[in-house]
Amino acid sequence: MQLSTPSIVLHAFDYRETSRIVRLLTRDLGIVSVIARGARRPRSKYGAALDLFASGTAHIATAMGRDLHTLTAFEATVSRAGLAASLDRFAAAAALAELLLRFAPEQEDPGLLDAATETLDALAVAPPGSGDTVALGGAWRLMAELGFAPSLEECAACHAPLDPQTAVAFHHRAGGALCGACAAPVHGARVLPAEARHTMREWLAGREAPPLDAPTVRAHQRLLREFLEEHLTDGGRPLRALIAWERHEVGA
Ligand SMILES: [Zn+2]
């Protein structure tokens, strides 16, 4: 079956002498692996079209019952070269790509592709020093889109409303913030200040938060990574790109 679908290049690696295997987030198939035959030949029809984080229309020949489909053409629409030009933006984009590759389903999800497209577009033009904040917002928006939004306005356990002005306990396995009574017997909860909770609410709703200082960015990166680790269902492989991004200095 032949199919043309809007896509983003999330991962690519060399295969045999002349080919590349590319993992795409697509509108119609979700996450999909395709082989781009001849992509490494000097005069390949793909040129730079399959560079990481590029958007375009993928023409795919799907094979029933196979995990690897064949890419027959890719018309790039946005290259996002700006993401590769800065180490910090690149690290943040790689973390977002990893989130999508580990959490996104192998099925149609137009809202997810739109959210990923807007997040990478914003990251590509983020002013120096604000890329990490943009990526954090994008990551939580993508998690909300994927159905993993943590509970922030009511207790994740008993659903009692939480005062937005107070710090609360945040428990990854419980799925979000806890009221005092539910938090008391629980171990391993983090304290989530009121301001951080407000910021996360904005991000989950797809809104922008003001740029954060470096320690706040790192606290949010750690909270995000711990939340993702708790909710991974594909085994214990570490989130390498996310960890690398977290260890980066902010700015540049
Ligand atoms: Zn409760």
Side-chain angles (χ1 to χ4, degrees):
M1 192 182 82
Q2 270 285 349
L3 162 130
S4 300
T5 180
S7 307
I8 301 174
V9 177
L10 295 182
H11 186 67
F13 55 94
D14 292 343
Y15 182 73
R16 297 204 171 150
E17 295 292 298
T18 59
S19 298
R20 300 267 287 163
I21 288 178
V22 183
R23 300 194 73 194
L24 301 169
L25 175 66
T26 67
R27 185 180 299 261
D28 296 278
L29 300 170
I31 296 284
V32 69
S33 294
V34 295
I35 180 163
R37 291 203 171 83
R40 291 164 63 207
R41 290 206 179 98
R43 285 193 299 276
S44 157
K45 64 182 171 185
Y46 295 109
L50 290 173
D51 281 355
L52 274 184
F53 316 126
S55 281
T57 301
H59 301 269
I60 300 172
T62 59
M64 283 289 279
R66 301 268 308 267
D67 287 337
L68 184 63
H69 306 299
T70 300
L71 189 69
T72 56
F74 190 86
E75 293 152 26
T77 51
V78 181
S79 77
R80 301 201 180 87
L83 291 178
S86 143
L87 209 57
D88 283 346
R89 283 186 198 162
F90 188 85
L96 292 167
E98 180 173 62
L99 183 158
L100 288 165
L101 288 167
R102 298 291 289 277
F103 284 92
E106 294 176 3
Q107 63 190 46
E108 182 179 358
D109 194 338
L112 186 63
L113 186 78
D114 291 344
T117 301
E118 288 171 25
T119 296
L120 290 175
D121 283 345
L123 185 57
V125 298
S130 69
D132 286 339
T133 307
V134 170
L136 278 164
W140 281 116
R141 182 182 170 194
L142 293 174
M143 289 306 278
E145 200 64 51
L146 287 160
F148 287 95
S151 180
L152 295 175
E153 286 165 74
E154 55 177 46
C155 173
C158 75
H159 307 293
L162 300 169
D163 178 356
Q165 308 299 330
T166 61
V168 293
F170 187 92
H171 196 261
H172 296 294
R173 192 169 308 162
L178 295 174
C179 71
C182 291
V186 168
H187 293 280
R190 288 204 174 278
V191 175
L192 186 66
E195 196 175 333
R197 185 152 56 104
H198 174 74
T199 299
M200 285 176 69
R201 276 210 311 272
E202 295 294 291
W203 285 339
L204 287 164
R207 290 189 292 266
E208 268 183 51
L212 307 172
D213 63 23
T216 309
V217 163
R218 277 196 284 278
H220 274 292
Q221 285 176 314
R222 185 180 61 189
L223 189 85
L224 172 70
R225 175 179 48 79
E226 289 173 346
F227 188 82
L228 298 188
E229 285 169 348
E230 184 62 45
H231 293 278
L232 272 177
T233 55
D234 63 352
R237 275 187 300 132
L239 293 160
R240 290 180 202 285
L242 219 53
I243 292 166
W245 175 45
E246 193 178 339
R247 287 179 182 161
H248 257 256
E249 294 299 315
V250 180

